[in-house]
Every structure is written in structure tokens, then in C-alpha cells.
Amino acid sequence: MSSELCVGLPCFNEEANLQKLIEEIAEVQPTARIVVVDDGSSDSTAAIADDMAKTHNVVVLRHGPNRGLAEAMRTLLTWAAESLPPDAYFVAMDADRTHRPEQIAELVAKADAGADLVVAGRYLDASTTVGVPPFRKLLSVGARFVSRLLLGDLVARDVSCGYRLYRVELIQRALAGYGDQLIVSPGFSVNLELLAKLVKIGAKVDQVPLRLRYDLKGGESKIRIVRTVLQYLKLIIHLTLTKPAPTGTLPPKDTESGR
């Protein structure tokens, strides 16, 4: 039997997507709790989240001003570590409907088999992408190439995709060890940072092929290409020069269970 499941959605101006996505998640994972972080949206995202919480198993967390994806992920991971049992599964996915909820079952199956971090990736044989702009493809390929060159093998082939399952025990160990330094990235490079730091503390990583549906996305892209490239370069240089290790004492890893 699978562990308790929670799905986290970092949201900024997702009024065109959020209601439909919550309905889709609830349809395929009816017992899952859904946690929405409204990251200072200026549209009706917050109101939609509140309305969905009245009829679905939805928790709404709020940022006042917009803080960016990295801070939304910090809020989600901290909430998960404090609110869920260690054996629970926490799935993070984009709120723009490009990540399909049907794949949650594939992530869970890998975790049930022993993985404590499962990454949905674009560079596996069965991966598919529909409607992805060329600059987004170039950015992900570039992040993969440079990180591999400077940081070595991070197990997952796709280092920047945010569609992932985290075992909550892993999040708790990471926060206990890294503290506030678990996330220092300011934006979209946070997914690479989390992967590198979780591999550093011995995360057992597995992968599933991603089926990316950019054609279902409503609204404008939030990514700013030049700023994001600079963020990736700054992060990779930081990780290369500092080889960051946990700042505190990590709880022991359960070697018999694979956690």
C-alpha cells in the first residue's frame, strides 16, 4: 500500500490553469491532499484556490509580494516537513498543466519500490514533449550539459524539471542538515540546486519518462530567459566552488529500508 500522498503547486498568476489542474489531480488521485502556494499573484489565482478549498482537499498558503519559484518551493518543502509523516510522499509539479497528473502514479510506483526522490525527465527513451518553445529546450539542454561537466553525475538525466516526488523523510533530513542553506537559488535554478544537494546527502534517485504537454498551458510563460541563464550559471559556479555540505548533523540514514 502506498504512503500518504500530497501534491504541491507553486502558483503565480495561474488563473487560466489552476481550477482545471486541481480537478484533474483529484480525479486521478482522489485521496491526495493538494497544497497551493499563491506566490503574490495579481490575478484571480488566490480566489480560485480558496474556492477549490471549499470543495476539494486543498490547503492554501500565501506569499504577500511575489517571491519567485525558489521561495515558493521553500514554503512547500517546509510545510511538508512540518505537516506530513516521514513516510509520506510529496509531489511537486508545475501549476500550468504542462505536467500531467496521470504520471503521479508512475512516480509513486518508483517510490514504493524504494526510491526517495523520483524525477520525471525529458531525456529518457520514452519521454515526449509537445509544443515546447525552442528556447525552453535549449535552456534545459544547456543546464544539463553544464551541470554534468562541472558537477558530475547527479543520477537524474533531467536536472531542471520540477515534476518530482520527494519522500518526506528525505526533506526532513535535508532541512535538518542544510537549514536555511538548502535553497539559495533565487529562481528557476532551484530544481538543479535541490537535486545536487539531495544527491549529496545520499538520496536514492530514480526516474520516469516525462510527458510534457506545453500545448495545454494557459497564460504567458513566467520564465525570463536571460535572467534564468544567469541564475543557472551563478548557481553552478557556486556549487562547483563551494561543494556545499550539510551545515548540521543529519539524522542517520536507514540503510535497510533504502531511506
Side-chain angles (χ1 to χ4, degrees), residues 42-211:
S42 58
D43 63 4
S44 61
T45 295
I48 291 171
D50 287 339
D51 286 344
M52 296 303 289
K54 297 174 184 177
T55 56
H56 293 72
N57 189 7
V58 172
V59 175
V60 182
L61 308 176
R62 301 194 188 285
H63 292 171
N66 176 250
R67 302 182 196 172
L69 177 61
E71 288 303 312
M73 284 302 301
R74 185 195 301 276
T75 296
L76 284 171
L77 295 178
T78 300
W79 181 92
E82 294 175 350
S83 305
L84 300 174
D87 64 345
Y89 299 158
F90 184 80
V91 172
M93 61 190 298
D94 290 353
D96 59 6
R97 299 187 65 223
T98 58
H99 296 162
R100 305 311 300 140
E102 301 84 48
Q103 291 208 257
I104 292 174
E106 299 171 38
L107 300 172
V108 168
K110 292 289 188 178
D112 284 345
D116 47 24
L117 172 61
V118 187
V119 178
R122 288 162 283 194
Y123 306 110
L124 302 173
D125 289 343
S127 301
T128 59
T129 60
V130 179
V132 179
F135 75 88
R136 293 295 296 265
K137 292 182 180 180
L138 182 61
L139 181 62
S140 63
V141 170
R144 179 190 179 204
F145 174 78
V146 177
S147 65
R148 174 90 182 194
L149 180 66
L150 297 179
L151 301 178
D153 185 9
L154 297 179
V155 186
R157 295 184 186 179
D158 193 331
V159 301
S160 57
C161 182
Y163 196 1
R164 300 174 177 179
L165 180 150
Y166 302 84
R167 195 182 298 269
V168 170
E169 182 267 345
L170 175 66
I171 300 171
Q172 293 169 338
R173 288 198 302 120
L175 286 169
Y178 288 106
D180 290 342
Q181 297 303 302
L182 176 60
I183 295 175
V184 299
S185 304
F188 286 89
S189 56
V190 64
N191 292 313
L192 170 58
E193 179 179 19
L194 285 170
L195 177 62
K197 289 181 174 177
L198 294 177
V199 168
K200 176 74 174 181
I201 64 171
K204 184 176 181 182
V205 181
D206 209 336
Q207 307 171 82
V208 299
L210 176 67
R211 295 190 289 277

